[in-house]
Amino acid sequence: MSSFAARLKKLRNTRNVTQQDLADYLNVTRPTIAGYETKGKEPNYNTLFMIASYFDVSIDYLLIGREFPDSLNPSSTEFDKLYEDYMLLKPKTRTVFPLLIERTGKMDDSDVNRLLEYASLLLCQPKYHSQNEK
C-alpha cells in the first residue's frame, strides 16, 4: 500500500467516512476510492485538491505525510475563499491550473518572475481592456 493510500484510508477511518461518502463528495465511484487505497491508483490534481479540502489537510500531508508550518497554511476561511476563486475560473482554465502550478514549481525565482511579467504584458492587450470596461 502506498503512503498516499495508507494516509487516505487512515483519514477516512478516523473520521468515520465511508468510501461511498468520499466518492459521492468527489463525484466518482466507490471502486475509484478503493483503487486509491489498495491498487496504487492516484487521483488527478483536482481530485487531490478536493480530498485535501474534504479532510481539511494539506496536499503535502496526503502526498508526503507532513504539513507545512502553520504560518504557511491558510486559515479555513482563507482556504474557502481560495477554493471559491478557483471554482470561478473558466472550466478550461481549471484544467490548466494544476499543470501551471506543477510546472512553475520546477522553476527558479527568476523564471517565475519572468512568467509573471509575461502574464502582465498579455493583460495589456486591448482585448483584455475591453472586457474589463464592460
Side-chain angles (χ1 to χ4, degrees), residues 54-72:
Y54 185 83
F55 289 111
D56 195 25
V57 296
S58 71
I59 292 173
D60 287 314
Y61 173 76
L62 290 174
L63 295 178
I64 60 174
R66 69 174 174 78
E67 297 277 3
F68 276 118
D70 290 339
S71 63
L72 297 178

Side-chain angles (χ1 to χ4, degrees), residues 88-107:
L88 289 174
L89 294 172
K90 296 174 186 170
K92 175 66 176 168
T93 305
R94 278 200 304 262
T95 60
V96 174
F97 195 70
L99 184 60
L100 185 60
I101 291 172
E102 177 188 5
R103 290 186 180 171
T104 56
K106 296 175 183 177
M107 294 179 185

